[in-house]
Amino acid sequence: MSGTDFTGKVAIITGASSGIGRSYARALGASGAKLVLVARDAAPLDAVAGEFENAIAVAADVSQPASADRIVATAIQEYGTVDIVLSNAGVYLAGEFAQVDPVALQRIVSVNVFGALAVVRAALPVLLANRDGDVIVTSSVSGHQAIHWEPVYSATKHAVQAFVHGVRRQLVGTGVRIGEIAPGVVLNELWGFDELAETAPQLAAATGIRSEDVADAVLYMLSRPRHVNIRDLVILPTSQDI
């Protein structure tokens, strides 16, 4: 989003090595923010962090209980504070529930629910002490309605919705804002697309959106005047029938 300035702001971004998280990093980095980029796989994460002067990479699995405190501690040690948390790390699981692998079931709940909440929990004391700051959790349109071909994924995103709505009310009067962004089909790795490859047919047909489109919407949310809190933003391809 052109004209948005986050110079000096410190942003934690999880799931930053690919897809939406990588686009968050590029959007905030271009707007002057200092970045704390988090992902499980170090090599692609380091490649993204290497695009910026003010960025550090923290290889961490957010599903592990100790990771969130380490991420926030690293941000404080490196930059002195935290201003923005983009809790974005997530995994996908579709298919008939009766055939779901219990290991995959445990993994998606651990990442999409526990991991999303734990990073916010670790950062909130810093934001509350500053009486300022923003939290945005990456949800999904699946969090706004139950989608039958991905019932477990839908359940995790419904949990994110409940979390954001409840915590927002707890934060009233603190100066800290929280919201969620809920994309439909995004033409990135999560949906089996190579973002560097040809996606023009899907864009022309309006059956998918880009990670950059989601990042642009998040910049809009972050750049609203402080008296405005966008709690939910659903962003869909124009031709997604859902």
Side-chain angles (χ1 to χ4, degrees), residues 13 19-29 86 88 138 181 214-215 218:
I13 304 171
I20 292 172
R22 181 174 56 209
S23 287
Y24 287 167
R26 288 171 176 164
L28 279 169
L86 301 183
N88 167 74
T138 304
I181 186 162
V214 183
V218 162

Side-chain angles (χ1 to χ4, degrees), residues 123-134:
L124 264 183
V126 181
L127 304 181
L128 289 169
N130 292 341
R131 297 195 62 80
D132 192 19
D134 285 280

Side-chain angles (χ1 to χ4, degrees), residues 106-190:
Q106 183 179 45
R107 176 66 182 163
I108 191 173
V109 173
S110 296
V111 174
N112 291 14
V113 182
F114 175 80
L117 274 58
V119 172
V120 178
R121 166 61 187 86
L124 264 183
V126 181
L127 304 181
L128 289 169
N130 292 341
R131 297 195 62 80
D132 192 19
D134 285 280
V135 175
I136 297 179
V137 184
T138 304
S139 182
S140 167
V141 66
S142 298
H144 290 259
Q145 60 197 84
I147 297 180
H148 68 276
W149 62 81
E150 51 188 29
V152 179
Y153 183 74
S154 291
T156 65
K157 296 306 183 178
H158 275 73
V160 165
Q161 296 295 114
F163 168 71
V164 168
H165 294 182
V167 173
R168 188 198 66 81
R169 296 183 69 182
Q170 291 187 352
L171 295 176
V172 168
T174 67
V176 179
R177 304 185 298 191
I178 186 169
E180 61 84 22
I181 186 162
V185 174
V186 183
L187 302 172
N188 61 26
E189 295 91 331
L190 188 68

Side-chain angles (χ1 to χ4, degrees), residues 14-148:
T14 66
S17 63
S18 64
I20 292 172
R22 181 174 56 209
S23 287
Y24 287 167
R26 288 171 176 164
L28 279 169
S31 300
K34 300 174 182 177
L35 306 176
V36 180
L37 304 180
V38 182
R40 187 173 54 167
D41 296 326
L45 181 65
D46 289 340
V48 176
E51 298 179 18
F52 312 99
E53 290 185 7
N54 290 320
I56 56 173
V58 181
D61 183 344
V62 296
S63 71
Q64 298 304 306
S67 292
D69 286 339
R70 179 165 66 87
I71 291 163
V72 174
T74 302
I76 298 297
Q77 180 180 358
E78 187 71 19
Y79 295 128
T81 193
V82 176
D83 301 293
I84 298 167
V85 179
L86 301 183
S87 186
N88 167 74
V91 294
Y92 184 68
L93 181 64
E96 294 295 318
F97 184 69
Q99 280 95 47
V100 166
D101 179 354
V103 174
L105 174 61
Q106 183 179 45
R107 176 66 182 163
I108 191 173
V109 173
S110 296
V111 174
N112 291 14
V113 182
F114 175 80
L117 274 58
V119 172
V120 178
R121 166 61 187 86
L124 264 183
V126 181
L127 304 181
L128 289 169
N130 292 341
R131 297 195 62 80
D132 192 19
D134 285 280
V135 175
I136 297 179
V137 184
T138 304
S139 182
S140 167
V141 66
S142 298
H144 290 259
Q145 60 197 84
I147 297 180
H148 68 276

